[in-house]
Amino acid sequence: MKQHQTTLTLGILCVIFSVAILCCKKDATPEQPRLIRYILYTKQDFSAEHDTIRFRIYMATKAKTLFDSGIVPMTISAVPDQQHQLVFEKKVPFGYEKEKLKVGFIYDIDNVGESWYLDSCLVGEATKTVEYSFK
């Protein structure tokens, strides 16, 4: 009977010890979301330019496009100056916190073609600002 009590006591202590370890284990701190801030403006006078321009906000890893979203088409003359700049913020999608990113603007001008302004957001950069002065 004494051996049975000892075995039972050891079993209960093992359960209590295991529960205590599980309860005291700290949860891994979740990664803070990275933020990409896109800023678009011009310092030039395009008031005579009436071709349509279509800007897109872009974010990608080496292997996958994460975000590619168009801004409302406008005439080149409507691209705002620095005092009226367009500002967009986009969080990096979950699962890509530790990836180097390509971020920036892609734009297409009617009857001219496509061009871009791209930068990189390195691993560990919590906030990246992509500021593009359209020329």
Side-chain angles (χ1 to χ4, degrees), residues 49-115:
E49 297 292 329
H50 300 292
D51 286 331
T52 299
I53 188 167
R54 291 170 181 81
F55 287 99
R56 296 184 347 247
I57 297 170
Y58 183 77
M59 177 191 313
T61 66
K62 186 175 183 178
K64 183 177 181 181
T65 299
L66 303 177
F67 190 73
D68 187 358
S69 181
I71 300 171
V72 174
M74 63 184 89
T75 61
I76 294 173
S77 62
V79 175
D81 62 20
Q82 194 167 10
Q83 290 180 324
H84 301 94
Q85 62 194 8
L86 300 175
V87 180
F88 305 93
E89 291 185 345
K90 180 70 179 159
K91 288 182 183 176
V92 175
F94 179 75
Y96 297 95
E97 298 86 357
K98 294 184 180 180
E99 298 256 0
K100 180 180 176 184
L101 302 173
K102 189 182 322 179
V103 295
F105 294 94
I106 299 174
Y107 58 94
D108 183 47
I109 301 172
D110 286 358
N111 304 313
V112 176
E114 184 177 80
S115 192

Side-chain angles (χ1 to χ4, degrees), residues 16 20 24 26 33 36-37 42 68 71 76 88 97 99 119:
I16 291 171
C24 292
K26 291 186 177 183
I36 311 298
R37 181 174 297 118
T42 188
D68 187 358
I71 300 171
I76 294 173
F88 305 93
E97 298 86 357
E99 298 256 0
D119 200 350

Side-chain angles (χ1 to χ4, degrees), residues 37-52:
R37 181 174 297 118
Y38 299 86
I39 301 174
L40 174 65
Y41 60 90
T42 188
K43 292 181 180 178
Q44 297 184 357
D45 178 7
F46 289 112
S47 58
E49 297 292 329
H50 300 292
D51 286 331
T52 299

